[in-house]
Amino acid sequence: MKMFSGWRRFAFGVLLILLLTHLFSVRELNSSKMAEPRKQLNKKFDHLVLGPAAGQGLSNRLQCQGSKALNRTHSSNDRLGVDGSITFVTVFTIYNSSLDRVDDKSSKTVVGNTSYNKMGRSMAVLNVFINFIQVVMPQSDVIILTDPVSDLSVHRNRVSLYPIQGEYSRDKLMLQRIRSYITFLETRLHKLSQNPRDITHYIFTDSDIAVVDDLGQIFRDHPNFHMALTFRNNKGQPLNSGFVAVRGTSDGILRAKLFLQEVLKIYVSKYINASRMLGDQLALAWVVKSKPHFDTSRFAKTVAFSDDIGGTSILFLPCAIYNWTPPEGAGQFHGMPLNVKVVHFKGSRKRLMLESWNFYSATPDIADMLCLILGSGRAKYDF
């Protein structure tokens, strides 16, 4: 009996070992199967990846067949009623350190028929930013705020550099951007005091945006705001700092400057650890939400609204139209609105920006180009 009892214990132990080995193997297999789609999901592509365009069948969305638009976007190329000119302002800088690896083949990127090193990619994005402005709003100037010791050189019509002393390191760039905006507005205020009739409205943007429709209607259709911000349905970061418009009157420039000074104060006191990214947007949201009884539910809709924040009249414009990013942000998964005016190629969308310009250069149709963007925007690209 003892012999049979020992044999049963031995057999049970062998079965237990086999069972555990099988369970472990199944678990490893499932883990590898789950890891593979995740790896594919995070893959960054060095070429455009076309997929189905979102929003098909919706009457107020761009309809596409491949990269061909089946309906037209609503263009507003009409400056009637806009008092003053419009100038775009962006912050951009490069240094000698950007040139360190120009001969390193591993840093080369090919877009179309052109090969770029890392600095070349950045300059290409800046030039495409300027290209779109000059196509859609050819009477507008572009001012680039930059570090005085930068190696930046741009020779384009209606484009000028404006050096502003500051700390432009990557870790401090978002913080410096607000400081540069404030300094620039101070100089514009002084200039306007010498010639009050010389009204120029300003649109401050990231350099990775494409203006695809005239923006003059912002100042014509909304005549009473001092400053405009873009919003989205994002509880933590409802405001995107990549697009800021300032009315070019003395009151508009002054109130925008004071508002940004308050944002800078909150940025430094509460969000300094996020000085590399997002800190400016967190500070913007804090200042806006600090107004008693501010109705944040309005951020969930794609309708422009105005509010007074600390004496500054703020026009809130929906990102879905004035700061559209594929495919991020509430509502944007449902396609592209027919009246979209600005496309923001933030994050891993820079290749798509350059490819979009190449497409437009060959086939100068904005609506068709937007179909290319809509069908390609869900992929992550290599820069």
Side-chain angles (χ1 to χ4, degrees):
M1 291 296 292
K2 289 184 178 180
M3 181 180 70
F4 285 111
S5 177
W7 168 253
R8 280 196 292 269
R9 283 198 298 269
F10 174 77
F12 178 76
V14 170
L15 287 173
L16 182 61
I17 291 172
L18 290 173
L19 179 62
L20 290 174
T21 302
H22 175 72
L23 290 174
F24 181 76
S25 299
V26 170
R27 182 181 177 186
E28 287 293 300
L29 180 62
N30 289 337
S31 296
S32 64
K33 287 182 177 180
M34 292 176 64
E36 186 62 27
R38 192 177 298 117
K39 184 178 180 181
Q40 293 291 330
L41 186 66
N42 292 330
K43 180 180 179 181
K44 291 188 176 183
F45 295 93
D46 60 359
H47 58 278
L48 286 191
V49 179
L50 284 169
Q56 301 310 287
L58 300 178
S59 61
N60 60 346
R61 292 293 188 267
L62 182 64
Q63 304 296 298
C64 304
Q65 187 172 29
S67 58
K68 187 68 178 176
L70 301 179
N71 55 355
R72 298 288 96 182
T73 52
H74 299 161
S75 180
S76 60
N77 294 317
D78 182 5
R79 286 293 185 86
L80 293 177
V82 180
D83 182 18
S85 60
I86 296 174
T87 290
F88 287 84
V89 184
T90 192
V91 172
F92 188 93
T93 189
I94 57 173
Y95 302 99
N96 278 330
S97 59
S98 304
L99 303 172
D100 289 345
R101 299 178 63 198
V102 293
D103 296 324
D104 185 353
K105 291 184 179 180
S106 66
S107 68
K108 297 288 185 180
T109 299
V110 177
V111 181
N113 297 320
T114 306
S115 177
Y116 301 100
N117 56 43
K118 190 173 182 180
M119 185 193 71
R121 291 193 323 231
S122 297
M123 289 301 301
V125 168
L126 178 66
N127 276 302
V128 168
F129 162 73
I130 296 169
N131 291 346
F132 277 113
I133 291 171
Q134 294 187 339
V135 166
V136 177
M137 300 177 65
Q139 301 305 312
S140 292
D141 293 327
V142 177
I143 296 176
I144 302 171
L145 309 183
T146 190
D147 190 344
V149 300
S150 168
D151 300 295
L152 180 62
S153 178
V154 180
H155 303 286
R156 301 283 301 269
N157 290 333
R158 306 189 74 99
V159 178
S160 60
L161 302 183
Y162 195 99
I164 294 178
Q165 194 70 42
E167 189 175 358
Y168 290 82
S169 65
R170 191 173 183 83
D171 288 343
K172 302 292 183 183
L173 189 57
M174 293 299 99
L175 191 61
Q176 179 58 44
R177 182 169 70 172
I178 295 182
R179 288 174 171 150
S180 294
Y181 286 178
I182 293 169
T183 299
F184 178 78
L185 289 174
E186 287 173 344
T187 62
R188 298 299 100 174
L189 196 58
H190 176 70
K191 182 179 179 181
L192 189 60
S193 68
Q194 298 175 328
N195 189 0
R197 295 186 178 182
D198 186 17
I199 301 296
T200 300
H201 307 298
Y202 299 101
I203 299 178
F204 298 83
T205 74
D206 290 349
S207 58
D208 57 356
I209 67 130
V211 177
V212 296
D213 195 8
D214 195 292
L215 295 168
Q217 53 81 35
I218 295 175
F219 302 95
R220 181 193 64 214
D221 296 347
H222 306 277
N224 299 317
F225 75 90
H226 296 133
M227 182 180 188
L229 302 172
T230 53
F231 71 89
R232 58 201 171 184
N233 188 16
N234 183 316
K235 187 175 181 180
Q237 298 168 37
L239 301 172
N240 184 276
S241 58
F243 183 100
V244 177
V246 174
R247 186 173 298 281
T249 61
S250 57
D251 196 37
I253 294 174
L254 175 62
R255 297 312 311 182
K257 180 180 81 77
L258 293 174
F259 177 84
L260 288 177
Q261 286 176 329
E262 181 64 20
V263 172
L264 179 61
K265 184 176 74 173
I266 297 302
Y267 197 154
V268 172
S269 63
K270 294 182 178 293
Y271 303 109
I272 194 62
N273 291 332
S275 58
R276 179 168 182 166
M277 286 287 289
L278 305 180
D280 54 342
Q281 297 181 162
L282 294 171
L284 273 172
W286 194 96
V287 172
V288 168
K289 291 179 179 180
S290 67
K291 177 186 176 177
H293 311 299
F294 181 83
D295 184 7
T296 58
S297 68
R298 291 176 291 185
F299 290 145
K301 304 172 184 177
T302 56
V303 179
F305 65 94
S306 297
D307 211 327
D308 185 284
I309 309 295
T312 300
S313 177
I314 304 289
L315 172 65
F316 294 90
L317 298 169
C319 280
I321 298 172
Y322 296 92
N323 202 339
W324 189 88
T325 300
E328 303 170 25
Q332 295 181 30
F333 285 103
H334 302 298
M336 182 183 289
L338 286 172
N339 56 344
V340 67
K341 300 185 182 301
V342 176
V343 177
H344 193 170
F345 296 91
K346 62 185 178 182
S348 298
R349 301 290 185 273
K350 308 299 185 287
R351 171 179 287 276
L352 180 55
M353 183 178 183
L354 301 193
E355 296 274 15
S356 298
W357 173 254
N358 288 347
F359 180 91
Y360 177 79
S361 298
T363 309
D365 188 298
I366 290 288
D368 287 351
M369 183 199 69
L370 292 177
C371 279
L372 178 79
I373 294 170
L374 187 58
S376 308
R378 291 182 182 272
K380 285 188 176 292
Y381 295 103
D382 51 345
F383 71 98

